[in-house]
Amino acid sequence: MRGRQGYSVVLVVAAAVYNGISSIGGGKIGFRRMFALQSHAALVVALGLLVRVPIILVKGSVDVRTGVAAFAPSVPLRSPLGTLLIQLDLFDIWSLVALTFGFSVLAGFGIKKSAAVIFGLWAVFVFMLVGLAVLRSRFMGGV
């Protein structure tokens, strides 16, 4: 699911999950405030897109890497390793850090607890993406 609608769904689901975890842990964020925080953190990802667009135009390719994957240009992005490396993007990590600080303030949790929640859920998401890439490479011949 790509495009604005897909990203909007991701924001809504992530806000609901984070709000639910906050409630379980004793925090009282509320869905609207969590969605606002999630949307603000997503602005960092949008900044990353603004940085990438001129590079894409100059390079003539959409293969622009702004994270750890930039140090491994020969690794195909759709491979399991490429999928992992592309998730370690500078702007995505910056967004997660911003989300961690905001979550800490809104939920009333300490920074360590907030980081465990935010980065823990992100790690689960990355693990699922890499798992899908492994399945794709096994059953579709590394496509």
Side-chain angles (χ1 to χ4, degrees):
M1 189 174 355
R2 296 229 184 238
R4 286 178 282 177
Q5 296 84 8
Y7 200 69
S8 298
V9 170
V10 169
L11 287 177
V12 169
V13 170
V17 168
Y18 291 137
N19 186 47
I21 289 173
S22 167
S23 296
I24 291 169
K28 293 181 170 76
I29 295 177
F31 177 78
R32 286 184 188 184
R33 291 174 64 195
M34 190 63 229
F35 183 74
L37 172 61
Q38 188 74 28
S39 298
H40 280 89
L43 291 175
V44 176
V45 177
L47 175 65
L49 293 173
L50 289 175
V51 168
R52 286 184 194 98
V53 167
I55 299 170
I56 289 169
L57 294 173
V58 169
K59 188 176 176 184
S61 170
V62 293
D63 184 7
V64 175
R65 304 170 188 205
T66 57
V68 176
F71 298 106
S74 63
V75 174
L77 293 179
R78 293 178 57 93
S79 70
L81 179 59
T83 301
L84 174 64
L85 293 178
I86 205 71
Q87 297 306 313
L88 300 172
D89 183 78
L90 172 70
F91 294 99
D92 290 339
I93 300 298
W94 182 7
S95 176
L96 289 168
V97 169
L99 194 57
T100 298
F101 283 111
F103 188 80
S104 175
V105 170
L106 291 179
F109 293 166
I111 199 71
K112 289 182 183 178
K113 186 174 183 180
S114 296
V117 168
I118 300 299
F119 282 89
L121 287 174
W122 173 75
V124 168
F125 175 72
V126 170
F127 180 75
M128 290 183 338
L129 287 177
V130 171
L132 290 172
V134 167
L135 289 174
R136 181 177 56 234
S137 68
R138 290 235 173 124
F139 294 113
M140 299 181 93
V143 173

